[in-house]
Amino acid sequence: MASSKTMELQFTTLDVFTSTRMQGNPLAVVSVPAALRDKLSQAAKQRIAREFNLSETAFLHAGDSSSGGERRVDIFTAEREIPFAGHPTIGTAVLAKYHLHPHPHPHSQVDALVTKAGPIGLVAEEEGGRVRAKIPHNVHLHANTLGDVIGGGGGAAGGGYPGLSPVPEIRAAELAAPVFSVVRGMTFVLAQLPSLELLARVAGAARLDFAGLPEPLLDEGWRDSFVCRYYYVDVDPSEEEGGKEEGARYMRTRMVEMGFEDPATGSAASALASYLTLKEGRKGGTTTKFRLTQGVEMGRRSDISVDTMTRDTSEGGVELVDLWLGGTAVVVMKGSLTVDV
């Protein structure tokens, strides 16, 4: 029997990491008024996310007199709440800074989004309506690879562990790929492929059950996490649309997991850039630029920028200091939804 009590909420959908509608990664942002903040339960948010059935749905909470320039954001997939995700961050930031508060008053200007992973500082770039988001990070390289925990059952030459690629070269990359967390709760298997031809052969029909692996893939203390595979290929900037930024590393990427393909995965792009920065041990104080294009194979091109900065450690290594995710978004739909409470 339907509930007799309902609430009505406004929502906006945006295509993120693009300025062209029907490209990029779709996002729904539900605006939560201050008066309904304590009435909209986490369970209700999960039901709304399932109803939208997008890769993520964000819930943007209105501020009050004590909020300053911060706004709380909760991020849900269709299955669970997650602490951070890239395209909800950029999409919500563009909505807040360019549409909800286009001429900000000191009491309404949004300077940061507060996620479960921590506060994310925002900087508007007037050119093209772009935003840069300073991503909270707690990076960690896990000891195991898929090859370590699956063993011979997923061997590149023979076997086929359920969910691994049937293509030997791709399967070998999956098994050898580093496993890297950008924050607690967001982990990626970073599989490097040698060519765009192989990238095009990545398929997501089978789902790899990370929770059901023969041994734990993630280190102790990090196992309560979303995990997926992220594939990448280094490309010649001259062959990429707009690929002329001096000193930037250009890549084509795909995230194919859970039976679907994600047009843009900003959290995975942030993880990949962080891992490569630390792996290469760039001298402290160096800014490294990464320009990633995702979603081409599924017809939803997304352009993601990530900048990293390091500093030297007393042990002679380097550590990540700043992690900036950048992009734009375009509004597609606006409307209201009714929720039983």
Side-chain angles (χ1 to χ4, degrees):
M1 182 175 178
S3 170
S4 60
K5 294 184 178 180
T6 63
M7 69 172 67
E8 188 168 288
L9 299 167
Q10 301 302 306
F11 73 86
T12 305
T13 71
L14 306 96
D15 287 334
V16 185
F17 292 120
T18 183
S19 56
T20 304
R21 290 177 179 85
M22 314 307 163
Q23 295 287 310
N25 198 355
L27 171 72
V29 180
V30 179
S31 296
V32 183
L36 299 179
R37 180 184 308 166
D38 297 328
K39 297 179 182 179
L40 184 65
S41 67
Q42 297 299 91
K45 293 174 188 174
Q46 187 66 74
R47 291 195 300 271
I48 293 169
R50 290 197 189 103
E51 183 73 13
F52 279 113
N53 199 31
L54 298 172
S55 55
E56 284 98 15
T57 297
F59 294 84
L60 177 62
H61 293 257
D64 55 29
S65 58
S66 64
S67 301
E70 295 185 343
R71 297 293 181 271
R72 176 183 148 201
V73 177
D74 297 326
I75 302 171
F76 285 77
T77 71
E79 296 183 343
R80 60 181 289 180
E81 185 178 10
I82 55 177
F84 158 72
H87 102 277
T89 297
I90 296 299
T92 304
V94 168
L95 178 65
K97 294 191 78 67
Y98 291 110
H99 298 278
L100 299 183
H101 308 292
H103 304 291
H105 183 275
H107 297 300
S108 66
Q109 184 169 351
V110 179
D111 297 319
L113 301 177
V114 181
T115 68
K116 295 294 194 299
I120 299 175
L122 306 176
V123 176
E125 296 181 347
E126 294 302 328
E127 182 181 354
R130 293 174 56 84
V131 296
R132 297 175 74 228
K134 190 175 183 179
I135 303 302
H137 54 274
N138 181 17
V139 298
H140 180 75
L141 177 63
H142 295 268
N144 285 332
T145 65
L146 280 171
D148 293 326
V149 302
I150 292 174
Y161 189 89
L164 290 179
S165 173
V167 181
E169 297 92 337
I170 299 175
R171 187 164 65 249
E174 293 172 337
L175 291 167
V179 181
F180 191 82
S181 297
V182 64
V183 294
R184 287 186 186 272
M186 296 299 291
T187 304
F188 302 93
V189 178
L190 304 173
Q192 183 176 18
L193 300 177
S195 69
L196 292 177
E197 290 74 19
L198 273 178
L199 187 67
R201 296 180 68 186
V202 171
R207 178 171 183 167
L208 180 59
D209 181 8
F210 286 99
L213 294 172
E215 299 175 28
L217 178 63
L218 307 187
D219 293 342
E220 184 100 25
W222 294 79
R223 291 173 185 166
D224 182 14
S225 182
F226 171 85
V227 186
C228 75
R229 290 165 287 188
Y230 196 55
Y231 304 87
Y232 70 99
V233 176
D234 282 292
V235 295
D236 185 340
S238 66
E239 298 176 1
E240 285 294 289
E241 181 180 326
K244 298 172 183 171
E245 191 170 348
E246 186 176 352
R249 181 171 177 175
Y250 285 81
M251 291 178 278
R252 281 270 302 277
T253 63
R254 293 182 77 181
M255 197 289 268
V256 183
E257 196 65 84
M258 301 182 292
F260 80 100
E261 178 158 9
D262 195 20
T265 318
S267 53
S270 299
L272 177 58
S274 300
Y275 167 75
L276 293 174
T277 296
L278 296 174
K279 177 187 175 186
E280 293 169 2
R282 295 293 183 94
K283 183 178 179 181
T286 301
T287 297
T288 307
K289 302 175 183 178
F290 298 87
R291 302 297 178 256
L292 304 92
T293 299
Q294 189 176 333
V296 172
E297 292 77 8
M298 63 183 299
R300 295 195 69 101
R301 178 187 173 101
S302 304
D303 294 303
I304 307 167
S305 69
V306 184
D307 296 339
T308 62
M309 178 171 282
T310 59
R311 67 184 169 205
D312 297 325
T313 66
S314 58
E315 293 80 22
V318 296
E319 63 182 0
L320 190 65
V321 178
D322 290 334
L323 176 61
W324 289 90
L325 177 67
T328 189
V330 57
V331 170
V332 179
M333 291 185 281
K334 298 179 181 181
S336 62
L337 60 92
T338 303
V339 186
D340 294 327
V341 295

